[in-house]
């Protein structure tokens, strides 16, 4: 069983910053990709950032220049540094990973339980 645990949620004022972290645990061969998704109230879940390995990253245009993803899939860890936060960033943030359980042919998508943070004055 693979588990993803997110930490770092809370409440922040507009213009503030926050860092989210995600750690994977359990029994598996390797993680190929990790990502952050978010879902605001009444909206669809959207991808925020992804990482494969340590240097292959992607950031959604809506947060480009404000959010930075870091981590290393070989170390089963992922972080998201969020700066210049806006009320529109308020959402539940989910950690996501594609995990090879026993081989490259046994691939499973895993989600964390989500962590809420609110940007409000």
């Amino acid at each position: 069983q693979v588990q993803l645990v997110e930490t770092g949620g809370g409440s922040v004022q507009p213009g503030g910053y926050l860092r989210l972290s995600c750690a994977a645990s359990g029994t598996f061969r390797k993680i190929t990709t990790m990502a952050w998704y978010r879902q605001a109230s009444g909206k669809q879940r959207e991808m925020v950032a992804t990482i494969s390995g340590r240097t292959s990253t992607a950031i959604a245009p809506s947060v480009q220049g404000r959010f930075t993803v870091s981590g290393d899939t070989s170390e089963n860890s992922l972080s998201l540094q969020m700066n210049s936060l806006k009320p529109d960033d308020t959402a539940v943030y989910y950690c996501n990973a594609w995990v090879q359980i026993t081989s490259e042919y046994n691939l499973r998508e895993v989600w964390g339980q989500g962590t809420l943070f609110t940007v409000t004055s």
Side-chain angles (χ1 to χ4, degrees):
Q1 186 176 1
V2 183
Q3 289 187 325
L4 300 176
V5 178
E6 303 105 333
T7 55
S11 182
V12 182
Q13 291 187 340
Y17 61 91
L18 194 71
R19 186 178 183 87
L20 300 179
S21 296
C22 174
S25 63
T27 302
F28 52 89
R29 180 172 181 261
K30 66 179 290 186
I31 293 176
T32 59
T33 304
M34 297 185 78
W36 287 104
Y37 284 74
R38 68 183 181 183
Q39 186 166 21
S41 179
K43 295 186 177 181
Q44 290 188 334
R45 190 173 297 188
E46 63 174 351
M47 189 275 290
V48 176
T50 68
I51 190 168
S52 180
R54 189 171 56 193
T55 59
S56 180
T57 62
I59 294 283
S62 59
V63 301
Q64 184 76 45
R66 300 189 297 120
F67 290 13
T68 303
V69 64
S70 63
D72 192 333
T73 53
S74 67
E75 295 183 356
N76 309 325
S77 65
L78 176 71
S79 293
L80 185 69
Q81 178 66 41
M82 302 178 290
N83 299 327
S84 302
L85 287 165
K86 306 174 181 179
D88 284 350
D89 295 318
T90 295
V92 177
Y93 284 70
Y94 296 91
C95 182
N96 168 278
W98 283 94
V99 183
Q100 293 181 8
I101 302 301
T102 56
S103 75
E104 61 187 293
Y105 305 108
N106 186 1
L107 194 63
R108 184 178 303 170
E109 185 177 29
V110 181
W111 291 91
Q113 80 284 357
T115 183
L116 171 67
F117 90 87
T118 304
V119 182
T120 179
S121 55

